[in-house]
Amino acid sequence: MGVKDVLKRKEGVIVGEDVKNLFKYAQEHKFAIPAINVTSSSTVVGALEAARDAKSPIILQTSQGGAAYFAGKGVANDKQQASIAGAKAAALFIRSIAPIYGIPVVMHTDHCAKKLLPWLDGMLDADEAYFKEHGEPLFSSHMIDLSEEPVEYNIQTTKKYLERAAPLKQWLEMEIGITGGEEDGVNNEDVDNNSLYTQPEDIYEIYKTLSPVSPYFSIAAGFGNVHGVYKPGNVKLHPELLQKHQNYVKEQIKSSDDKPVFLVFHGGSGSSKQEYLDAISYGVVKVNLDTDLQWAYLTGIRDYVLNKKDYVMSQVGNPDGPDKPNKKYYDPRVWVREGEKTMSARVAEALKDFNTAGQV
């Protein structure tokens, strides 16, 4: 048995009940799906290749900045127009090519803070328009991140957005407890360490508020997570807190399910394999990866340029002769491909670490 056995759509972008079934299957079989931040068709290809070769489901996601980059850095974004257009373009591109990779793909959008809500509004407009034509939303899921706001505002605003997503059977991820560090212009490097740890009562309050609206939601709960890669400091990951969250909600709702909450692991780059496995054992179904993959993508291109330095300094002339053309060395399809390969190798490593490999 594999994950395709619980999905109506076996390959390509999945939505609605398929997303929920994928996540429940992941909990039951103790694996999590890497969520890969993509910023271009090239990074999409690198991630999809790794998942295909490892026979794994995959989550592809665009951040607000990554979506703007997808549209083009030269486009104005004062009203989030570039981020909206770029996210839509990424989703349509991924929908077009994902089926030929033969694996299920979740099309997701990453952190949307309060100041970025117009971005989420624009994407939901696109979802509703797509739903009218195709009977499903353009995106599988979105993330709303109001973790820096007061808890009550966070939960109630998330509820309003889930009410909008519910008729589309669209998944919504939310965050409670701050993820430290810096990512994509959101800087939490100086927050108080206590803010990095979510309390069980907060998780239950979210569950109690959102469950009557829709079953399609997940929670990124803070357990010391930090974006980026940093030397060890005062903040320590405590994935065992996630088990307390599950136990508390189970007790409150009197459920027979040991993992009633779908949990998400943010700030995963630089974590140990055991920390991943511990979090997964407590019901984490999605692990975000970005920083490590940025580095991996760079290394392929960097090493190629360094190794072929004498072949990329001019269009004509290299160690093989002064009249030898260098086009086959500086063609972007050559050196960009090297970045795809090293990124893909790092995604493959994550698929093994999270027990995702071989689940399709």
Side-chain angles (χ1 to χ4, degrees):
M1 183 177 179
V3 71
K4 286 187 177 181
D5 294 324
V6 301
L7 303 178
K8 292 180 180 178
R9 183 175 297 163
K10 313 296 183 184
E11 52 200 32
V13 172
I14 63 172
V15 296
E17 193 68 11
D18 275 348
V19 176
K20 182 172 181 285
N21 288 343
L22 169 63
F23 288 161
K24 200 63 201 174
Y25 185 92
Q27 282 187 336
E28 293 169 352
H29 293 81
K30 295 185 178 179
F31 71 91
I33 303 113
I36 311 303
N37 280 71
V38 294
T39 56
S40 64
S41 61
S42 177
T43 52
V44 168
V45 166
L48 287 175
E49 280 192 2
R52 176 200 63 196
D53 294 347
K55 295 180 172 57
S56 304
I58 196 79
I59 299 170
L60 301 181
Q61 61 187 23
T62 61
S63 66
Q64 180 263 355
Y69 187 86
F70 219 106
K73 288 290 285 184
V75 179
N77 202 27
D78 55 306
K79 297 180 181 178
Q80 301 300 324
Q81 62 268 45
S83 292
I84 293 167
K88 289 163 58 179
L92 290 168
F93 173 70
I94 290 167
R95 277 184 170 275
S96 296
I97 68 162
I100 65 174
Y101 286 84
I103 53 169
V105 176
V106 176
M107 180 63 224
H108 182 65
T109 62
D110 203 9
H111 296 270
C112 182
K114 182 180 180 181
K115 65 181 180 180
L116 303 179
L117 287 177
W119 174 49
L120 180 54
D121 294 334
M123 291 188 293
L124 285 169
D125 289 342
D127 284 315
E128 289 165 348
Y130 195 89
F131 187 89
K132 286 180 180 178
E133 187 174 350
H134 301 280
E136 63 183 55
L138 176 58
F139 299 87
S140 311
S141 57
H142 295 293
M143 182 197 178
I144 183 170
D145 179 5
L146 303 175
S147 57
E148 294 182 330
E149 310 304 322
V151 171
E152 181 67 14
Y153 174 85
N154 182 354
I155 296 175
Q156 291 304 317
T157 305
T158 297
K159 179 184 177 184
K160 290 179 183 177
Y161 276 92
L162 187 61
E163 287 170 342
R164 186 173 177 185
L168 312 179
K169 292 189 174 181
Q170 187 176 52
W171 197 271
L172 187 65
E173 176 186 333
M174 65 89 69
E175 182 164 352
I176 185 82
I178 295 172
T179 300
E182 187 275 335
E183 182 181 56
D184 206 8
V186 178
N187 194 319
N188 292 324
E189 292 178 305
D190 297 323
V191 299
D192 179 68
N193 285 357
N194 291 331
S195 300
L196 306 180
Y197 303 99
T198 306
Q199 301 305 310
E201 293 81 5
D202 290 333
I203 299 298
Y204 172 60
E205 186 62 29
I206 295 165
Y207 188 92
K208 182 177 68 173
T209 303
L210 300 186
S211 288
V213 177
S214 169
Y216 303 130
F217 68 92
S218 52
I219 304 171
F223 54 98
N225 321 55
V226 177
H227 283 137
V229 178
Y230 297 87
K231 291 181 179 180
N234 295 327
V235 176
K236 180 175 173 57
L237 282 179
H238 289 285
E240 69 277 3
L241 293 176
L242 302 179
Q243 182 65 74
K244 293 183 179 179
H245 300 336
Q246 296 284 19
N247 291 343
Y248 188 79
V249 173
K250 177 185 177 181
E251 178 184 334
Q252 293 299 314
I253 66 174
K254 297 179 171 53
S255 173
S256 59
D257 189 347
D258 289 334
K259 300 171 186 175
V261 183
F262 294 105
L263 295 171
V264 176
F265 188 154
H266 282 219
S269 293
S271 301
S272 71
K273 181 176 179 179
Q274 191 56 52
E275 286 169 333
Y276 287 133
L277 293 177
D278 288 346
I280 291 167
S281 72
Y282 303 138
V284 163
V285 297
K286 171 179 177 278
V287 181
N288 283 16
L289 278 183
D290 185 22
T291 306
D292 282 358
L293 297 180
Q294 292 176 349
W295 175 252
Y297 191 89
L298 167 69
T299 59
I301 296 173
R302 177 200 65 194
D303 293 348
Y304 175 83
V305 171
L306 291 175
N307 291 332
K308 300 294 184 182
K309 176 179 178 294
D310 293 334
Y311 295 83
V312 297
M313 298 302 289
S314 62
Q315 286 187 289
V316 178
N318 60 49
D320 299 330
D323 297 326
K324 295 290 185 180
N326 293 319
K327 185 180 186 305
K328 66 180 181 180
Y329 298 104
Y330 64 74
D331 185 333
R333 291 172 294 181
V334 177
W335 51 268
V336 169
R337 177 61 181 159
E338 295 304 310
E340 292 173 2
K341 289 193 285 190
T342 47
M343 175 187 168
S344 191
R346 180 62 183 87
V347 174
E349 181 184 334
L351 291 167
K352 291 180 182 178
D353 287 349
F354 305 163
N355 293 331
T356 332
Q359 296 291 347
V360 170

